[in-house]
């Protein structure tokens, strides 16, 4: 069964450093998303991406964040200058292809020191 | 209450018993989805119910939706220890739209 994959599974970085989180969505899906979950809290929407552009973003998704679909398979989230409060589990999801269901990847745990 | 609030926050039952979790939301929705999350792991999609549906089944799962009360329930029948996880409801306004997650119910199924 096709699934969303994410790399790395765990990323440790120093405050102020740039990180890129990578995702490979399910191949025939049209919509791509990033969510995050701070430890012990709700899953929060960050951004959705469709037709090679951002379709919606949350207040969390400020100028420090960017997304890109550099080729036909990868979908990335970049945080330019990480802050301590960016520490969270980041989930990629994809959907579309005839269904509204969003399928989530296993997540990348980002730890900012 | 916030969009997507589950109750109870925590539920502990014995294996073989049924577990019922509820979700309430505030705005009109297109669909509601239930997810499971094992501790520290990813979100596993369980079931999607559309706003024009009232009940849906998948294996041991039964989901109901009452749009007049803006609420949904997830019933897990004949629970197993492997069902121990957090369960979240998530609402969407439409296809391609963001999901708004609830606070989750932590289910513990004891042997």
């Amino acid at each position: 069964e096709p699934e969303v994959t994410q790399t790395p599974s765990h990323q440790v970085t120093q405050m102020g450093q740039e990180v890129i989180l990578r995702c490979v969505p399910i191949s025939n899906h049209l919509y791509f998303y990033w969510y995050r979950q701070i430890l012990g809290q709700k899953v929060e929407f960050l951004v959705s991406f469709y037709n090679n552009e951002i379709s919606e973003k949350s207040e969390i998704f400020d100028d420090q964040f960017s997304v890109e679909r550099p080729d036909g398979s990868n979908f990335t989230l970049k945080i330019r200058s990480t802050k301590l409060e960016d520490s969270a589990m980041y989930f990629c999801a994809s959907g579309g292809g005839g269904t509204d269901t969003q399928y989530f990847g296993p997540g990348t745990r980002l730890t900012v020191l | 209450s916030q969009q997507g609030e589950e109750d109870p926050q925590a539920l502990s039952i014995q294996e073989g018993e049924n577990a019922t979790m509820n979700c309430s939301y505030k705005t009109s929705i297109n669909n509601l989805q239930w997810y499971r999350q094992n501790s520290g792991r990813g979100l596993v999609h369980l079931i999607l119910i559309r706003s024009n549906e009232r009940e849906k089944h998948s294996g041991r799962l039964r989901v109901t939706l009452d749009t007049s009360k803006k609420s949904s329930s997830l019933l897990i029948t004949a629970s197993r220890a492997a069902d121990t996880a957090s369960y979240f409801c998530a609402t969407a306004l439409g296809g391609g739209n963001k999901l708004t997650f609830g606070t989750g119910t932590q289910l513990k199924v004891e042997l």
Side-chain angles (χ1 to χ4, degrees):
Chain A
E1 188 173 323
E3 58 183 19
V4 177
T5 60
Q6 289 185 245
T7 54
S9 57
H10 193 187
Q11 173 93 46
V12 181
T13 190
Q14 295 292 322
M15 191 168 57
Q17 295 295 304
E18 175 183 287
V19 294
I20 298 175
L21 310 183
R22 292 183 165 80
C23 168
V24 179
I26 295 172
S27 62
N28 66 338
H29 283 179
L30 304 174
Y31 295 89
F32 313 110
Y33 311 84
W34 284 100
Y35 293 81
R36 79 172 186 190
Q37 185 181 33
I38 294 171
L39 188 63
Q41 296 187 24
K42 285 188 190 187
V43 176
E44 302 173 287
F45 167 79
L46 293 178
V47 65
S48 58
F49 193 86
Y50 171 72
N51 200 26
N52 284 319
E53 62 183 24
I54 291 174
S55 49
E56 189 174 359
K57 60 183 181 180
S58 72
E59 292 176 353
I60 303 167
F61 195 88
D62 61 21
D63 292 344
Q64 293 300 311
F65 290 87
S66 62
V67 289
E68 195 177 33
R69 188 153 162 83
D71 52 42
S73 59
N74 291 285
F75 180 50
T76 63
L77 174 70
K78 182 193 290 186
I79 309 174
R80 288 190 185 81
S81 179
T82 50
K83 303 174 188 140
L84 295 176
E85 55 265 36
D86 293 328
S87 294
M89 182 77 97
Y90 287 81
F91 293 107
C92 173
S94 70
T99 174
D100 293 325
T101 300
Q102 290 185 28
Y103 295 91
F104 283 72
T108 292
R109 183 169 297 284
L110 176 65
T111 302
V112 182
L113 302 175
Chain B
S1 62
Q2 299 176 31
Q3 182 79 348
E5 274 198 349
E6 290 92 337
D7 78 87
Q9 288 188 326
L11 180 61
S12 183
I13 59 174
Q14 297 293 314
E15 199 172 48
E17 294 180 337
N18 295 341
T20 300
M21 289 158 269
N22 303 297
C23 168
S24 60
Y25 57 92
K26 295 179 81 175
T27 65
S28 295
I29 60 171
N30 175 274
N31 67 69
L32 185 146
Q33 305 182 37
W34 283 91
Y35 288 84
R36 184 186 75 223
Q37 183 181 38
N38 290 80
S39 181
R41 308 290 291 275
L43 293 156
V44 176
H45 184 264
L46 297 176
I47 200 162
L48 178 152
I49 187 164
R50 300 190 188 282
S51 60
N52 61 352
E53 297 175 310
R54 292 296 166 257
E55 188 171 312
K56 211 162 179 182
H57 297 254
S58 177
R60 294 184 296 113
L61 306 180
R62 173 179 166 250
V63 168
T64 62
L65 179 65
D66 186 335
T67 53
S68 66
K69 294 181 180 177
K70 291 187 170 59
S71 67
S72 174
S73 68
L74 171 67
L75 168 68
I76 304 174
T77 60
S79 63
R80 305 166 182 167
D83 295 329
T84 295
S86 291
Y87 291 82
F88 296 90
C89 69
T91 55
L93 296 180
N97 286 114
K98 67 179 184 183
L99 290 176
T100 301
F101 279 82
T103 49
T105 292
Q106 289 187 20
L107 174 66
K108 184 175 182 181
V109 182
E110 301 187 78
L111 294 169

